[in-house]
């Protein structure tokens, strides 16, 4: 019997091996579990977080009730793009029910992923009296910070 070659048109590509931590990844993306995700750069944290975000939406969580925070604006923008792309891809291949896709698509503007400082700024803007700050506060720029 002839072994398939990489050059055979009929040969199917070899199946990708599951990462050794696949069970932990599956646990982390399940909305029924509370998790803390700690890992080195390049280990797939963003993929796990995107999958978890999508699973939360699929389970009926309102996007306004999902807090997703990262360190940089670039990372927040990339993560949001990946969430939207994952939702679109799942809807196109029928893995997302039409009802959920319709609801999520109408609320795509509520898919918020922000930086820590943007989240804190939003809280202070929304609750200045509770935080005991002037409601008209402004964020100090670098030159003003030097004076403080």
């Amino acid at each position: 019997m002839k072994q398939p070659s990489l050059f055979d048109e009929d040969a199917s590509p070899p199946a990708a091996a599951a990462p050794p931590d696949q069970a932990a990844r599956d646990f982390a993306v399940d909305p029924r579990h509370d998790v803390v995700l700690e890992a080195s750069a390049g280990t797939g944290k963003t993929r796990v977080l995107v999958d978890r975000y999508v699973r939360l939406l699929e389970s009926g969580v309102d996007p306004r009730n999902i807090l997703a925070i990262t360190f940089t604006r670039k990372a927040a923008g990339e993560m949001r793009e990946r969430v939207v792309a994952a939702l679109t891809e799942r809807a196109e291949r029928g893995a997302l029910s039409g009802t959920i896709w319709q609801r999520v698509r109408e609320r795509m503007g509520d898919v918020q992923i922000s930086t820590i400082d943007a989240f804190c700024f939003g809280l202070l803007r929304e609750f200045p009296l509770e935080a005991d700050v002037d409601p008209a506060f402004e964020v100090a720029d670098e030159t003003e910070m030097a004076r403080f």
Side-chain angles (χ1 to χ4, degrees):
M1 176 176 213
K2 179 184 166 197
Q3 289 289 341
S5 153
L6 291 175
F7 303 105
D8 290 342
E9 289 182 21
D10 297 336
S12 57
D21 63 349
Q22 188 61 52
R25 289 171 184 260
D26 293 342
F27 183 88
V29 301
D30 188 334
R32 296 173 298 173
H33 303 125
D34 295 327
V35 295
V36 173
L37 183 59
E38 290 182 85
S40 303
T43 56
K45 290 183 303 292
T46 302
R47 172 81 264 148
V48 171
L49 292 171
V50 167
D51 290 346
R52 183 172 177 88
Y53 201 107
V54 169
R55 295 276 304 271
L56 285 165
L57 293 172
E58 288 176 331
S59 70
V61 175
D62 188 313
R64 292 178 308 155
N65 294 330
I66 301 173
L67 176 60
I69 298 176
T70 188
F71 289 101
T72 67
R73 285 188 205 105
K74 180 180 176 188
E78 177 186 332
M79 191 170 160
R80 185 180 192 288
E81 287 174 13
R82 289 173 70 172
V83 165
V84 171
L87 288 166
T88 303
E89 184 269 330
R90 289 180 64 77
E92 286 173 354
R93 67 180 167 92
L96 191 62
S97 83
T99 306
I100 291 175
W101 175 237
Q102 179 68 27
R103 182 179 48 81
V104 170
R105 195 174 50 197
E106 290 171 357
R107 308 286 308 281
M108 208 58 88
D110 291 337
V111 172
Q112 297 294 318
I113 299 167
S114 68
T115 59
I116 293 169
D117 59 322
F119 172 71
C120 292
F121 180 80
L123 276 179
L124 292 173
R125 275 284 180 232
E126 193 169 343
F127 303 104
L129 301 176
E130 293 84 348
D132 197 26
V133 296
D134 181 348
F137 78 91
E138 305 256 340
V139 175
D141 64 22
E142 289 180 26
T143 56
E144 292 173 311
M145 286 303 295
R147 290 187 309 171
F148 294 118

